[in-house]
Amino acid sequence: MIRTIGIHGGQASERSAHWTRPLGLLYASAALMALTLYAVFFWVPTELNLGVSQRIFYFHVPLGWIGMVSIVIVAAASVIYLVTGRDGWDALEYAAAEVGVVFASLILVTGVIWARGDLGWWWTWDPKLTTTLVLWFIYVGYLMVRAYAPRGSQGARFGAVVAIFGAVDAPIIYMATVWWRTAHPELNTGPLAEDSDAIGSTRIYLALLLSVAAFTILYAYLLVERFSLRRAEYSVDEAHRNAI
Amino acid sequence: MRHIAMQSSRLAVALALALCAALAASAYTPPVFASESAPVEVGGRGPSPQAGVESEGESELPWLFAVFFVTWAAFFGYAFVMSKRQRELKREIDALVRALALRDAEKDETKPEDTPIA
C-alpha cells in the first residue's frame, strides 16, 4: 500500500491507495530468466553458420517482440483514454511507453552489436532496421510530447494521438522482411514464416520460447511497477493542487 | 511506503539471483558450449559469416558478452531510476503530509474562536 494524501471537506487527511505489488511476476520472471540463461549458454546447440554469436538471438528476438507489443499496448490504452477520459488508461499508456522505450533501445543496440560481429558493419539503412529506428523515435517522441505538453488532460490527449499513429509502425516492422528483400534474417517462426521448419532444432525452438516467456514476464512486472508509480504521482499532483 | 521503495531493489536482487543461479548451474557443466549436440543450421535467408572470419570460436564471444552486458546494464539501470523516483515521491508525500497537518493544526487552533460554544 502507498500512503497518499488528500483534502476531504477542507480537512487534510490521509488515505490509502492500492499499490499493486506484483511479486508473483517478479519471482516468475527471475526463475524463468535463470532457466533461460542456462538454456542459452549450456543447453542449446551451436548454430552452424553463425557460431556462438547466434546466441544473441535469444535476447534480440524477445526484445523485438516486446518492443512491438508495447507500442500496441500504448495505442490501445490511448484509444480507451480518448473514449473514456479516465486517468488510469493514461497512466497505463505512459507506463507502457516508458518501459517500451527501454526495450526498443535494446532491440537496436543488440541488433547493431550482432551485425558488427557477424557481418562486419554496425548499421545499414535496411527496411527492417530503419522501421525499428522509427519505432524508437516514436517512443521518444511520445515521451517528449508528454514532458513538454501542458500538464493534465491536454498533454495526455496529444500523447494519445502520437501513440495511435506510432502503432502503425509495428506491423510494418514485422512484415518488413516479407515485403522487402532485406539484410535482416527473414521470419524463422510464426504463421508468416516461409519455412515452418526453418529453426531446425527443437532445443533452439524451446529456448526461444523460454526466453520470450521470461522477457515478457519481466516486461509485465516492469509495466505494473511503473503503472503503480505513475498513479501515485497523479495522487501527489492532485494533493499539491488541493493544498494550494 | 517502505514496500514500494523496496520494489526496485527486489527486482535488482531477483535478477542478480537469476544470474548467479545460471552461473552456479554452469559449474556442473563441462566448460564448453553445448557440446552434447551437434551444430545445427537455422534456415532462412539471413546474415552469413563474414569472409575470413571463423564461424565459431572465441572471436565471437566478445560480441555475445557485449549484448549480455548491455541488456542487463539497461535493466539494472532502469530499476535504479525507478527506485530513485519512488524515493523522491516518498519525500514529496512526507512533506505534503507535514504541511497539511500543520495547516489543520492551525485551523483547529482558530476554530473555537469562530464557533461560539452553545
Side-chain angles (χ1 to χ4, degrees):
Chain A
M1 301 285 276
I2 179 172
R3 190 181 58 182
T4 60
I5 51 179
I7 309 272
H8 301 291
Q11 296 291 310
S13 64
E14 291 184 20
R15 64 188 165 90
S16 290
H18 184 67
W19 178 277
T20 311
R21 296 170 62 195
L23 290 180
L25 284 176
L26 177 63
Y27 298 141
S29 169
L32 277 177
M33 203 59 82
L35 273 176
T36 301
L37 291 172
Y38 180 81
V40 167
F41 289 105
F42 303 105
W43 189 65
V44 292
T46 302
E47 207 275 333
L48 197 61
N49 291 323
L50 300 173
V52 172
S53 70
Q54 185 268 338
R55 285 159 213 269
I56 294 172
F57 172 77
Y58 305 103
F59 293 85
H60 183 70
V61 173
L63 293 170
W65 149 253
I66 292 164
M68 287 191 289
V69 165
S70 194
I71 193 70
V72 173
I73 292 174
V74 176
S78 299
V79 170
I80 299 172
Y81 172 74
L82 289 176
V83 172
T84 64
R86 294 177 67 178
D87 283 345
W89 292 107
D90 179 50
L92 177 64
E93 169 195 331
Y94 187 88
E98 195 181 285
V99 179
V101 80
V102 175
F103 281 82
S105 304
L106 285 171
I107 305 167
L108 290 171
V109 172
T110 55
V112 158
I113 294 172
W114 195 5
R116 179 66 186 83
D118 276 329
L119 302 171
W121 39 259
W122 291 101
W123 181 263
T124 180
W125 293 103
D126 166 276
K128 186 99 169 179
L129 277 62
T130 308
T131 48
T132 307
L133 182 64
V134 168
L135 175 70
W136 186 81
F137 277 117
I138 289 165
Y139 275 123
V140 173
Y142 172 86
L143 293 174
M144 286 179 74
V145 165
R146 295 305 304 268
Y148 294 108
R151 289 181 80 88
S153 61
Q154 196 180 3
R157 282 199 301 275
F158 290 169
V161 172
V162 171
I164 291 165
F165 279 109
V168 175
D169 190 42
I172 297 175
I173 296 173
Y174 186 76
M175 297 299 292
T177 53
V178 177
W179 289 341
W180 300 290
R181 187 171 181 83
T182 73
H184 191 278
E186 66 185 17
L187 299 172
N188 284 322
T189 184
L192 295 175
E194 281 181 21
D195 179 5
S196 58
D197 196 31
I199 286 185
S201 162
T202 309
R203 283 192 178 196
I204 289 180
Y205 191 68
L206 287 176
L208 176 64
L209 287 181
L210 191 62
S211 66
V212 168
F215 277 100
T216 304
I217 293 174
L218 176 63
Y219 169 76
Y221 171 75
L222 290 171
L223 182 64
V224 173
E225 273 286 295
R226 187 65 188 96
F227 171 73
S228 301
L229 183 61
R230 185 71 178 169
R231 297 212 58 173
E233 286 167 356
Y234 282 160
S235 297
V236 172
D237 284 348
E238 187 189 340
H240 267 299
R241 280 197 297 273
N242 290 335
I244 296 168
Chain B
M1 192 64 207
R2 279 180 189 163
H3 292 302
I4 59 163
M6 289 173 69
Q7 287 293 304
S8 296
S9 48
R10 277 185 182 157
L11 171 64
V13 169
L15 292 176
L17 284 176
L19 283 173
C20 291
L23 291 173
S26 73
Y28 300 99
T29 309
V32 288
F33 284 100
S35 62
E36 301 89 349
S37 309
V40 296
E41 185 173 5
V42 174
R45 187 182 73 240
S48 55
Q50 194 184 359
V53 176
E54 54 183 298
S55 63
E56 183 182 357
E58 290 183 0
S59 65
E60 291 163 346
L61 282 175
W63 304 111
L64 182 61
F65 173 78
V67 165
F68 187 82
F69 177 80
V70 167
T71 303
W72 291 108
F75 286 128
F76 281 110
Y78 187 60
F80 175 75
V81 168
M82 278 223 283
S83 170
K84 198 177 157 194
R85 281 184 189 155
Q86 286 171 350
R87 283 197 301 272
E88 283 168 5
L89 196 64
K90 180 185 181 307
R91 275 198 295 272
E92 213 170 323
I93 290 171
D94 289 344
L96 265 169
V97 166
R98 278 196 302 274
L100 290 172
L102 191 68
R103 199 181 75 173
D104 285 350
E106 283 171 2
K107 274 187 183 171
D108 288 343
E109 280 175 14
T110 55
K111 209 171 185 178
E113 294 169 12
D114 296 341
T115 52
I117 299 165

